[in-house]
Amino acid sequence: MIQTIYPKLRKQLQGNPHVEGAIILPAGLDSSSVPEPVDLILLVFHEKVNGRSVLSYMTEIWKVKELRIPLQGLTAEVIAGERQDVIDCLLKGEVLYDPENKLVKLHERLLSFPRELKCKKMCLEFAALLKCHLESKLLLKEGHLLDAYLAIQKSLLHWARLAAIESGEYPRFRLWPQVKPINPAVYKLYRELATGEEPLEQRMRLVLLAEEYAVLTKPEQYCEYLLELLTTEGGNWSLREIHRRLERDQISLDVTQVMEELVRRAWVEEVVVGGFHAEQKYRLIRKHR
């Protein structure tokens, strides 16, 4: 059995003083979302890694794919959710090595998908949906139907992820089977967009209308993280200050369009702060405080 090499891998990790812990996952079809040409995926939290690195090697007869990320980057990986192999390890893997008992607690916290992470992940997905929605409207107006179709598909993907998060689940790689019982309306829109008999432009406009009504009218729900942020530090935030705070919270996100949407929806107002060197800032409208 493949588990027989776990002690050998653990010993290998113990010999490296820069390794803070590791999670392991067999790369079979039942474990990982994406077929891998390896037998094991080993997620190693390494002090000396800037960003990410990938190694492949053989241990006995087994092929191992080793992913190295810094432990402090774990939250960013979860919020972004871009690397399915990393997310698979975090959601389905087994803690292999944890010399200071940091990883078990952190792993359990991530599996519970706490409110703090949900709010950040939801804000990111809402921003991505808004970007694709506005892009598709522009492309449709200019007559670029296929490009608009691709943008609308992406917007529906982000809507489906929002539906999963709202239900308390982390969005999976096989998203639509997950979302179908959670939010049948989003699933139906996706199916109709792909296979409906109406003209393509009509199908796209239906999705855009549904997004306007069901998602974009509820920024207080999906932008809770940002709205709460605006109530702190005196209540006035510039874009530069917001982006600096996002970076500190390990969120890679340009909120320019989101802030404009919050202003348009009368949740946030623009104010000018300062005298000679005045700066444009945003604050929560008092009636929503």
Side-chain angles (χ1 to χ4, degrees), residues 100-117:
E100 297 182 10
N101 294 317
K102 294 179 181 177
L103 206 53
V104 169
K105 291 180 181 178
L106 190 55
H107 191 220
E108 289 174 352
R109 177 175 175 271
L110 293 173
L111 287 175
S112 70
F113 203 20
R115 176 184 176 275
E116 175 195 353
L117 283 179

Side-chain angles (χ1 to χ4, degrees), residues 180-195:
K180 184 178 180 180
I182 294 172
N183 193 324
V186 180
Y187 177 82
K188 184 177 180 181
L189 278 171
Y190 180 76
R191 188 184 62 193
E192 289 297 318
L193 179 67
T195 63

Side-chain angles (χ1 to χ4, degrees), residues 133 137 140-141 145 152 193 199-211:
H133 178 88
K137 285 179 71 174
L140 200 57
K141 182 179 178 180
L145 291 187
I152 290 175
L193 179 67
L200 177 59
E201 184 173 349
Q202 184 177 331
R203 283 180 272 151
M204 290 192 288
R205 292 193 183 280
L206 176 63
V207 173
L208 290 173
L209 184 63
E211 288 177 348

Side-chain angles (χ1 to χ4, degrees), residues 21-199:
I23 297 175
I24 197 164
L25 178 71
L29 292 177
D30 293 336
S31 300
S32 54
S33 300
V34 183
E36 292 271 6
V38 296
D39 301 300
L40 280 174
I41 302 175
L42 183 63
L43 180 61
V44 176
F45 300 98
H46 201 284
E47 289 180 330
K48 297 296 183 180
V49 174
N50 291 321
R52 307 160 177 167
S53 68
V54 182
L55 303 174
S56 293
Y57 51 86
M58 297 294 295
T59 298
E60 296 180 5
I61 62 170
W62 311 103
K63 188 172 183 180
V64 180
K65 176 182 177 180
E66 183 176 312
L67 310 169
R68 292 185 176 183
I69 63 172
L71 187 59
Q72 63 268 26
L74 183 56
T75 299
E77 290 283 357
V78 172
I79 294 171
E82 294 174 352
R83 292 188 61 184
Q84 195 57 42
D85 46 10
V86 172
I87 298 301
D88 276 341
C89 283
L90 294 175
L91 295 180
K92 305 174 186 177
E94 171 188 342
V95 175
L96 178 70
Y97 178 57
D98 190 17
E100 297 182 10
N101 294 317
K102 294 179 181 177
L103 206 53
V104 169
K105 291 180 181 178
L106 190 55
H107 191 220
E108 289 174 352
R109 177 175 175 271
L110 293 173
L111 287 175
S112 70
F113 203 20
R115 176 184 176 275
E116 175 195 353
L117 283 179
K118 285 180 186 176
C119 288
K120 292 175 180 178
K121 178 70 174 166
M122 197 173 289
C123 187
L124 186 144
E125 295 296 344
F126 177 84
L129 185 150
L130 177 62
K131 179 178 182 295
C132 294
H133 178 88
L134 295 176
E135 182 181 294
S136 59
K137 285 179 71 174
L138 178 61
L139 290 167
L140 200 57
K141 182 179 178 180
E142 294 176 347
H144 304 295
L145 291 187
L146 294 181
D147 290 328
Y149 177 75
L150 180 59
I152 290 175
Q153 275 192 318
K154 290 179 181 178
S155 71
L156 274 175
L157 180 71
H158 294 296
W159 187 357
R161 288 175 179 168
L162 283 171
I165 298 166
E166 285 183 85
S167 73
E169 299 180 13
Y170 191 89
R172 301 174 197 157
F173 179 73
R174 294 184 178 91
L175 183 63
W176 291 109
Q178 178 188 16
V179 170
K180 184 178 180 180
I182 294 172
N183 193 324
V186 180
Y187 177 82
K188 184 177 180 181
L189 278 171
Y190 180 76
R191 188 184 62 193
E192 289 297 318
L193 179 67
T195 63
E197 296 180 356
E198 296 82 3

Side-chain angles (χ1 to χ4, degrees), residues 226-237 284 288-289:
L226 275 179
L227 294 174
E228 287 185 356
L229 180 63
L230 292 177
T231 65
T232 64
E233 304 292 336
N236 295 320
W237 289 75
L284 196 64
H288 297 308
R289 293 184 181 181

